[in-house]
Amino acid sequence: MKAIYKYTLLSLLGVGMFTACSEDLLETSPTTAVATNEVTLTSSKAISAIEGMYRLLYRTGYTSSWEYEEFGLSAFTLTADLMGEDHIQQAMGSGWFWYDYLYDVKGDYTGNAGRPYGVWNLFYTLISNANYVTAAETTMEGDASDVKYIVGQAYAIRAFSYFMLAQWYARTLVGHENEPCVPIYTEPTDKTTQGKKRETVAEVYKRIDEDIVKAEELLSASGKVRSSKSHFSLAVAYGLHARIAQVEENWNAALDYATKAISEAKKEDIDIASVSQFLGLNSVAAQNVMWGVKIISDQTTSYASFFTHMDADLGKYGADARQQITRSLYAKMGDKDERRAWWNPEDSHNDKNGYQQEKFKFLNYQTWEGDYIFMRVEEMYLIKAEAECMLGHDETAQQILTALIQTRDKDYECTRTGNLLGTLTSEFTGSLREEIINQRRIELWGEFGRIYDIRRLHQGFMRTEDDGHPSDAILEDTDDPESYRWVMVIPQSEFDGNVNMDDDKDQNPFD
């Protein structure tokens, strides 16, 4: 394991930078006592480390030159959305995210900047830190309920990190179980730790399943109420488990955990909100937000932020490279659908492209504030509906979907049946599952990552100029559901520092 991990447990605690298997940062390695894991971890120090991990989900600084498109999890969500067919970047602008949209970032794999390195670095940094906390489960000093809560957070963070890595660096689980995924580390590492080989996709998902179950057990047993929506609550852990089960195509589990997530969320007074109640999608205080981070004025990252790229009213990136919805997806909404307010088909800058987004807006333009939202409860209802559909319970699925969408469009009705999907996302079958997915595409536009769904659904897609995509963004070979286009290449630094990975044999395809 090459130690490209810039933020580790000890640096988050203010002890100094810890690097795992690093040859380029050895001068900042911790003392021998720390490096050999002979430090007692108290619950107070551990919670500080957990807070530091959550800060990595919105801060910049993974590299010195790419901070304008590396601002934590929301940067990767925007990337994953632009990699699909529903989200348009109208122009190159300053270049940020343009090359993700054009699928032209794999060549950056040799440097310590860019998408191949950035994704790998963030999630292995989180894993590295989580491993120190999980390893201290039986020795951590402090109140027993605090320890359970803290260690539960670490297991959830690790499950989430491996889940994200699996979706970026391998093809989807079902049908590709025995293909290579990513190395698995579950113990603390230091500069002497030998790097590990890539495990299969199935093995990585086994690790993910074990970690999220352990997180749920500990969070439930702790009996503690989280102090911030940035933390994993039991509801969020269940919500993550439901997402994982979707990718695993384990529909009984998806139904079970989405139902549990909704039930636990209601205990926190979290429930479906009307569109008018969360305009701008910029506040974790909204009643439908399950997981997100509050950005306060002294923690804003100015131009290096999600809202800078999305909100054209501030100027700069959002105005120079406008983010838009395709015309065809916009047309799928009913005339009375309140979500139409999320886009402006009359914007003077639309030209021949799609429709300008108004869904994501700064909360405060003077201070650059706007909270990052990672999970809303509406997603859980959509997972429930899809799971019921896949289990053959069409009438129940119709009821769940109708009840949700009627909070956006009071005239909405759904009587469709079946679960057949087209080979391409633009080949419509008229099935119930297709309608559920279409509503996901509208409801979660810009905030989930469309390519994740395209992958798990085993579909290909096509972009067209008629739908609003600029000519540069019309791609070849995305019609193949088995495409490696949306499988990221592994950074060269991992091969340089890991004796158990050979770039000639273990690198993902570049085309």
Side-chain angles (χ1 to χ4, degrees):
M1 180 172 59
K2 176 67 172 177
I4 57 179
Y5 317 137
K6 199 168 184 181
Y7 303 100
T8 58
L9 181 68
L10 300 172
S11 63
L12 295 176
L13 291 174
V15 178
M17 185 178 292
F18 174 80
T19 60
C21 310
S22 178
E23 297 301 328
D24 53 351
L25 294 173
L26 293 184
E27 68 276 10
T28 59
S29 293
T31 66
T32 302
V34 174
T36 55
N37 201 30
E38 295 173 3
V39 170
T40 300
L41 188 61
T42 64
S43 59
S44 60
K45 287 185 177 180
I47 195 62
S48 295
I50 292 293
E51 295 286 0
M53 293 182 218
Y54 286 122
R55 283 194 293 274
L56 293 182
L57 295 181
Y58 65 86
R59 68 168 298 168
T60 61
Y62 307 130
T63 74
S64 60
S65 59
W66 285 62
E67 63 180 15
Y68 294 109
E69 61 175 25
E70 291 183 348
F71 39 84
L73 183 58
S74 292
F76 301 154
T77 300
L78 175 54
T79 299
D81 220 52
L82 282 165
M83 290 171 70
E85 82 284 45
D86 294 336
H87 192 144
I88 295 168
Q89 184 163 316
Q90 172 253 357
M92 179 179 178
S94 297
W96 306 121
F97 294 99
W98 178 250
Y99 297 100
D100 295 296
Y101 182 40
L102 269 54
Y103 281 72
D104 189 19
V105 298
K106 291 185 178 181
D108 295 326
Y109 79 105
T110 58
N112 289 346
R115 203 62 67 204
Y117 176 92
V119 177
W120 189 274
N121 180 41
L122 174 62
F123 292 114
Y124 271 115
T125 296
L126 291 170
I127 290 166
S128 178
N129 286 299
N131 287 345
Y132 272 87
V133 179
T134 59
E137 180 179 357
T138 60
T139 60
M140 189 182 301
E141 296 178 352
D143 180 79
S145 61
D146 288 341
V147 172
K148 289 184 176 67
Y149 178 79
I150 292 164
V151 179
Q153 297 289 316
Y155 274 108
I157 289 169
R158 194 169 75 186
F160 177 70
S161 298
Y162 277 122
F163 183 50
M164 295 302 291
L165 287 167
Q167 292 184 100
W168 276 88
Y169 294 98
R171 293 194 288 185
T172 196
L173 171 65
V174 177
H176 308 288
E177 293 86 349
N178 295 320
E179 292 181 3
C181 193
V182 296
I184 296 175
Y185 300 89
T186 58
E187 298 295 331
T189 52
D190 61 31
K191 63 183 181 181
T192 67
T193 303
Q194 187 175 87
K196 296 186 177 182
K197 66 180 179 66
R198 296 180 74 180
E199 297 291 349
T200 66
V201 181
E203 282 296 320
V204 173
Y205 273 88
K206 180 182 177 183
R207 176 76 269 154
I208 294 166
D209 288 338
E210 291 174 356
D211 281 352
I212 195 60
V213 167
K214 186 64 181 284
E216 291 159 357
E217 291 173 351
L218 290 169
L219 291 173
S220 178
S222 77
K224 295 185 72 66
V225 177
R226 62 179 173 173
S227 59
S228 167
K229 281 190 177 179
S230 66
H231 287 205
F232 271 89
S233 64
L234 186 56
V236 177
Y238 285 148
L240 174 57
H241 204 153
R243 286 181 179 178
I244 294 163
Q246 273 188 308
V247 175
E248 295 173 335
E249 300 184 31
N250 183 342
W251 297 110
N252 283 304
L255 176 59
D256 183 31
Y257 286 105
T259 302
K260 287 180 177 179
I262 292 167
S263 178
E264 287 295 324
K266 287 182 177 179
K267 295 178 183 178
E268 299 183 64
D269 295 323
I270 297 170
D271 207 347
I272 296 170
S274 65
V275 169
S276 62
Q277 291 177 302
F278 64 108
L279 292 176
L281 274 82
N282 53 25
S283 174
V284 294
Q287 73 173 40
N288 57 350
V289 176
M290 294 176 64
W291 184 32
V293 293
K294 182 172 182 58
I295 308 297
I296 59 178
S297 58
D298 64 353
Q299 293 178 344
T300 60
T301 52
S302 63
Y303 285 111
S305 75
F306 178 73
F307 292 99
T308 304
H309 292 278
M310 299 299 289
D311 190 348
D313 288 342
L314 186 67
K316 193 61 176 174
Y317 302 134
D320 293 344
R322 289 172 175 266
Q323 308 296 321
Q324 304 172 331
I325 192 174
T326 56
R327 300 171 189 177
S328 62
L329 184 59
Y330 182 87
K332 293 184 184 301
M333 288 181 284
D335 291 341
K336 297 181 181 179
D337 195 320
E338 293 180 0
R339 294 174 298 184
R340 284 177 170 259
W342 287 346
W343 300 279
N344 182 7
E346 305 302 324
D347 189 280
S348 61
H349 297 87
N350 289 339
D351 194 27
K352 297 179 180 179
N353 300 113
Y355 301 147
Q356 172 64 36
Q357 84 83 30
E358 301 293 341
K359 183 180 182 181
F360 305 96
K361 310 292 287 186
F362 273 103
L363 182 64
N364 186 321
Y365 287 102
Q366 299 300 317
T367 59
W368 302 80
E369 288 177 88
D371 299 346
Y372 290 172
I373 296 171
F374 302 147
M375 184 184 290
R376 288 194 285 119
V377 73
E378 288 87 353
E379 180 192 344
M380 298 301 113
Y381 287 93
L382 289 163
I383 293 175
K384 278 193 69 172
E386 186 178 359
E388 294 282 19
C389 175
M390 295 304 293
L391 292 169
H393 308 151
D394 284 4
E395 185 175 348
T396 304
Q398 292 166 1
Q399 292 170 354
I400 295 169
L401 184 65
T402 298
L404 172 63
I405 304 305
Q406 281 185 349
T407 66
R408 281 85 175 99
D409 180 355
K410 60 184 179 60
D411 292 340
Y412 181 84
E413 295 289 344
C414 179
T415 58
R416 297 184 183 187
T417 60
N419 57 33
L420 183 64
L421 296 179
T423 302
L424 301 179
T425 62
S426 55
E427 295 176 350
F428 300 119
T429 66
S431 74
L432 172 58
R433 190 187 190 195
E434 180 181 83
E435 174 62 12
I436 294 167
I437 298 301
N438 284 341
Q439 292 301 328
R440 276 183 65 93
R441 293 166 68 177
I442 297 166
E443 182 71 24
L444 302 179
W445 184 94
E447 57 181 302
F448 180 79
R450 171 65 176 149
I451 199 65
Y452 302 138
D453 273 347
I454 291 173
R455 287 161 50 92
R456 72 174 178 85
L457 294 170
H458 304 275
Q459 290 184 292
F461 68 89
M462 298 288 287
R463 295 173 179 169
T464 67
E465 291 185 64
D466 287 342
D467 212 10
H469 289 282
S471 58
D472 287 344
I474 307 304
L475 306 173
E476 297 179 356
D477 303 328
T478 57
D479 58 340
D480 179 8
E482 301 303 309
S483 175
Y484 269 97
R485 262 192 179 273
W486 42 80
V487 178
M488 188 55 64
V489 291
I490 296 170
Q492 183 62 42
S493 54
E494 179 66 22
F495 296 106
D496 293 342
N498 186 341
V499 297
N500 283 310
M501 285 180 59
D502 183 338
D503 52 357
D504 289 331
K505 299 177 182 177
D506 295 316
Q507 181 60 279
N508 288 327
F510 282 78
D511 53 20

